[in-house]
Amino acid sequence: MLDCTFCRIIAHEMEGELVYEDDEVVAFHDINPQAPVHVLIVPRKHIASLNDLAPEDVHLIGKMVLVAKKVAEQMGITADGYRLIWNTGENAGQWIYHVHIHLLGGRRMTWPPG
Ligand code: 5GP
Ligand code: ZN
């Protein structure tokens, strides 16, 4: 899916400051950060959104959460806390249709989200 921004970052065809990479999952800084720490955790496999998850993706999705936890530790925000967000579809403001977790931290957040 080379017309997909995140597939292109994963393939190193586009700029993206990587903070983590393994054979299944990649993490990089968001280009338009909404907090002092704003990292996107994405699977190498192109899955458009959570609506497109298949039963065999269960391991991959769990792995993404573990990578988010690891990156939070790497960024030093574990103790103060952080937020994971999966925007799905138009009402949630999903812009890039390659499934991703937003890891946000480094500041106090409000609830409910906007
Ligand atoms: P969504 O709204 O789909 O949940 O979030 C997509 C995120 O991707 C946005 O926060 C946006 O700033 C980020 N983004 C869009 N294009 C790029 C890009 O080319 N590089 C990086 N690093 N982030 C991007
Ligand atoms: Zn993709």
Side-chain angles (χ1 to χ4, degrees):
M1 283 289 276
L2 289 179
D3 58 341
C4 167
T5 300
F6 290 173
C7 281
R8 292 185 66 192
I9 291 173
I10 291 163
H12 300 281
E13 286 184 5
M14 234 178 98
E15 195 64 30
E17 201 190 329
L18 301 191
V19 297
Y20 178 88
E21 184 171 26
D22 67 26
D23 57 335
E24 291 176 307
V25 178
V26 173
F28 49 87
H29 291 289
D30 195 292
I31 204 169
N32 181 24
Q34 302 302 312
V37 174
H38 188 171
V39 172
L40 301 171
I41 294 102
V42 309
R44 286 187 185 276
K45 178 181 177 187
H46 181 89
I47 301 169
S49 85
L50 291 185
N51 289 336
D52 301 289
L53 281 188
E56 68 262 23
D57 296 321
V58 64
H59 161 84
L60 187 57
I61 291 299
K63 174 88 175 276
M64 287 171 68
V65 176
L66 282 176
V67 169
K69 175 198 162 199
K70 195 192 290 263
V71 173
E73 286 164 1
Q74 204 174 309
M75 297 289 158
I77 57 172
T78 299
D80 286 344
Y82 53 87
R83 187 172 288 174
L84 301 185
I85 298 167
W86 310 71
N87 289 327
T88 305
E90 205 172 323
N91 267 0
Q94 185 175 3
W95 178 253
I96 304 273
Y97 279 78
H98 180 130
V99 81
H100 52 279
I101 306 178
H102 293 259
L103 166 64
L104 291 162
R107 68 167 170 82
R108 191 90 182 176
M109 285 181 235
T110 56
W111 190 263

